[in-house]
Amino acid sequence: MLLCGPEAAWDPVAVVELEKKYPGLLTVRHLAREGSDSVLLDPNGDVLEMLGVKSLASYIIRPDGHISYRCGGANLTGAEAHLSTLLSPARPQAEHG
């Protein structure tokens, strides 16, 4: 998943919860003009412009490079619904007594 726009615009708790729901299946990356060391930097905004991102957008990109979902804004509800059609969430492991 690619989250485009300022890193601070995204709810970090929601992002972590989404990653936890699909461990090993979902990786979330940020693309922004500036940010922390974990952000993919696009200082001139060239890539953001090519993607058509005006301020914020989320993309779900399959391993084969196909963009299967795109949405403007920072709400991840639609992305989560789309992921649920593609992936099976992790199941809690049973405790052994």
Side-chain angles (χ1 to χ4, degrees), residues 20-88:
K20 284 182 182 178
K21 190 172 183 177
Y22 302 103
L25 298 174
L26 178 69
T27 302
V28 177
R29 296 287 184 250
H30 292 271
L31 173 67
R33 289 177 179 259
E34 57 187 37
S36 70
D37 290 341
S38 64
V39 172
L40 300 170
L41 296 177
D42 181 23
N44 296 325
D46 296 335
V47 176
L48 292 166
E49 185 178 329
M50 282 177 33
L51 291 170
V53 177
K54 301 289 185 212
S55 60
L56 299 170
S58 59
Y59 287 82
I60 296 174
I61 305 163
R62 298 185 330 203
D64 65 1
H66 176 79
I67 296 172
S68 65
Y69 177 86
R70 181 196 187 282
C71 183
N75 188 324
L76 296 175
T77 304
E80 186 170 0
H82 180 72
L83 284 169
S84 72
T85 68
L86 300 175
L87 306 171
S88 296

